[in-house]
Amino acid sequence: PEIDFERSVMIGNNISDMQFGKQLGMYTVFIASTQETPPPPHLTDMTSANLLAAVRQLRAMAKSNDT
């Protein structure tokens, strides 16, 4: 099976993670817990304090899109 990158999410804590995700058309989530300087806004779709918060935000978004 092929990966549909436009329906995928890149979660990371480095600028290179966000660049990679954007290059493939992914929704990008920056985890700010380990970096003091966030990436440029055009590279991130969402910023979260940690992975658990990111997953909770993504699940809430998915639920709101289902209704």
Side-chain angles (χ1 to χ4, degrees):
E2 290 189 27
I3 297 172
D4 184 354
F5 292 110
E6 291 182 4
R7 293 182 49 132
S8 300
V9 177
M10 168 56 76
I11 299 176
N13 63 346
N14 291 303
I15 290 174
S16 61
D17 298 331
M18 302 299 100
Q19 290 170 326
F20 177 78
K22 281 297 177 190
Q23 287 174 351
L24 294 174
M26 295 181 194
Y27 187 87
T28 55
V29 180
F30 181 70
I31 303 298
S33 61
T34 61
Q35 299 290 327
E36 291 183 20
T37 305
H42 71 277
L43 291 177
T44 59
D45 295 304
M46 184 172 81
T47 299
S48 288
N50 55 56
L51 182 58
L52 180 58
V55 171
R56 286 179 174 159
Q57 286 176 280
L58 290 168
R59 288 185 69 190
M61 289 172 49
K63 283 184 180 180
S64 68
N65 288 338
D66 288 342
T67 57

